[in-house]
Amino acid sequence: MDVNVCSYFIIDSSTGIVRTKKNLELEDFPAIFNVRATDSSTASIFNEVSVNVTVIDENDFPPVFPSSLLEARLEENLPATQIIQLEAEDNDTGRNGFLTYGILSGDRLKFRIDEATGILYSTTSFDYEEEPTEYQVVIYAEDDGIPEKKRGYCTVVIKIIDVNDWPPVFDPVTEFSVNENVPVGFIVGKITATDRDTGDNAFVVYNLTGGAENIFEIDEINGNIQIKNSPDYETMNKYNLTVNAVNNKSAPFFQATTHVTVLVMDVNDNAPVFAQDSYSASINMINPVGAHVITVSATDKDQGLNGLVEYYILPDQNFIPFFLIEDMSEGKIITTGSLPRSGEMHLTVMARDKGSPSLNATAVITLNVLDNSPFVPRFNRSEISVSVLENTGVDYLIYDFTVIETSGKQIDYTIASGNEKGHFRLDPKSGQLRTAVNLNYEEVSEYVLLVEANENLPSAAQAQYASLFAENVAMLRVSVQDVNEEPVFLSDTYSARIPNSVPYKYPVITVQATDPDSGDNGRLLYSLVDNESNEFDIDENTGQVFTVSVAGKAGTFYLEVQATDQGTSRLTARTTVNVTVDPSSSNNIVVVALSEIINIVERNIIEVKRVLEDKLAWNVYVVDVYSNEFERKARSSTDVTYVQIIAFDEANQEVPAEDVKRKLQEQKSNIETELEKIFARPVTTSIEEASADSASPELIATIVLSVLLACSLIGFLAYVAFTIRRKRKQEQYLVKHQAEIAEGIDNPWATDKNGSVKSLEKLEHVNNVEKETLEFSNMGNAKGGDSDKDLIQADEKRSYLETLLLDFNSNDEDNGAPEKAAEPSNEDAQHTADFRAQQDCFLTDRDEEPALSLTLHPTTPPPEKNLKGVKFSEVAIILDAESEDDEPDTTDGFCTAANA
């Protein structure tokens, strides 16, 4: 064993296990040493074996790249090529330091690496514009160490470099437009070209070609097309430009081309120009409307509306009313009629374009007006009104037209307007207007005719001068007066058939007449002629014949109906109505109940009747329609309506109610189906028993009116009786009171309880009472009358009362009253004083002055005629006093009358 080697190992003599004695140094190995095995009993017996010791190096260090991040550049479009070589270091030796390379992450489809050399390759070409411009690939270096392999990592960033491989591309270009005469530098539009490359490869410059470089230029950087020299529409209105785009900073140089159309828009920069600076023409003074004068023309270099010329006559108070431009676009000048005078006239015509703003030019027209005025006939009246009755016939003379003066010339008369229907004929020589047809007021009630009178001239001259002057035209207003014409019935005879069980006012048939007149002449009233029976009557306004009472009647009734207009002459027309009344019984009336409100059933009763007739195959009469509710108060208050019907067969024989009910039951579904069509909703039907006859509404109304009339009559009689009784009481009171007054006046020396003389005061009192009484008579009895009438009435009342008093006194004398009247007593004086007080009360209640003043001169009455000095008009007021007592108090009677 080598000494150096032996120093590293030790062996167990018993077991033979070799152990290390210290750390092994790599540089001392491999080494070989021998091991001897000796017999323990005999040393000479032994054997040796060689032990080869190899020391294995420990993998202490991982591979390490010079940099953990590397950057590499690769141009686009290159084929598969080497990109970069990576080299890693490992401080280990042997296999621990043996390295291999691989891609840990990254696009393995586009990159690969050589395991031994570490060279990174691209496997395909790259497109800068279409693909990512940067890639990251993580590379690892791995040793072959034992017991484990170790790795080192490096990230390689690969940037794709753009190459100028795309030409510029223009954006879509539309037409540009620019107004003519725009200033230099005006931007017409912008052209844009794009290059998919980047940087200098995408730098584009522009230039123009195509022959328009003297008008337009382009900004080579931003592509703005600008005005180099102002364009003129009239010189050229459209340019086709060729624009080039070049990227000239890096090779290879690419170029693109596009074409741009620039339209030059017309600007109204040219005024119209007349063909002549001035015009002249000759024209007659008398012209028809629309006579041609002259045609002027002007041109405008502009286009479109800017070059569209219109013509106008400039305002002139003297001549412009007589001329106008027939067509503003043609410049044709015509007359509006005859000119006011002859001689020279000047018109100024303007030609104006329709640009904005518009430009114009003017020209002067000199007119030589020649006097050619004809003779103008004049009517004696310019407006005429006549009236004519209708139906006067043909060739009836309406009016005879004449002119004031003819000057020995032949005058022709013509109808200018108003005779479009040809209803009139005018004699052109005599001027007589006659009817050409029979005038009818109902067709045309008024005509307005314009008639011309013209000198008889040749046709050409007549066409020129006609209808030019107001003097030779007259307006005739013809009013057609209505003549009352007879009415006419639509039919000569009418027929109807009804059963005799129908109620009052059952509609039988409606007759109708027509009258061509209007107003009262055309308003018709219907009546029955010689209607001595009470079975039928007619509605005078509608012509509806209805029943009055046909119960128990049968047979055919012949009614003559007359229609009368309301004109002055009251013309009439007649027709015959034949009404056949079939016998029937109320026992055969069938009541059909419909589940529908009554007002809707009434509106559709004709259709309901038709359905019943169709399904029953009989003639059906609707006798009544009612509901259980108070239908005349609320026509839609119930959902059930009852229809009373009676049926007749083809032989006009009444069908028994039982047969009708049976057939209604058989046809129930069919009837309800048809009724649903009429009412637009399901309707159910049922048969009801006819109720006992009840009073009709008309009968009820008659009874109510009769009761009211009776009550009114009783009230009137009671009022009359009460009034008569009250008058009698008032007369009794009047007589009694006059007697008392007479007693006081007959004793003028009577004294009151104080012994005062009252005669003079009483006479004054009588005078005052008479004044107030006359005033009251004026107010109460002379309503609206004058004072004379009041006075007469007062005198009449006074005379009447005097007579009553005289009669009363005569009766008193027979009964011994004179002694009582002649006896002076305080009671009589008290009556006089009371009478004065009552008169004062009467005057106090009246604020007005007496309507009539009567002065009485107090005189002492002769003894034999004591009552002559008394004026009874003072007590006329008592007649109007209202008192319920049999013997009213004197004071109350007077005060009440005064207040009344």
Side-chain angles (χ1 to χ4, degrees), residues 165-173 191-197 201-204 206 243-247 254-258:
D165 57 346
W166 288 94
V169 177
F170 282 98
D171 293 342
V173 179
I191 299 297
T192 303
T194 58
D195 193 318
R196 298 186 65 180
D197 296 318
N201 295 333
F203 182 76
V204 177
Y206 303 92
V243 180
N244 300 315
V246 182
N247 52 3
F254 291 99
Q255 176 176 315
T257 301
T258 189

Side-chain angles (χ1 to χ4, degrees), residues 525-544:
L525 295 181
Y526 299 90
S527 61
L528 296 180
V529 180
D530 299 332
N531 185 23
E532 297 180 357
S533 64
N534 296 322
E535 287 83 7
F536 302 95
D537 204 347
I538 190 170
D539 188 307
E540 66 174 5
N541 295 313
T542 64
Q544 184 185 76

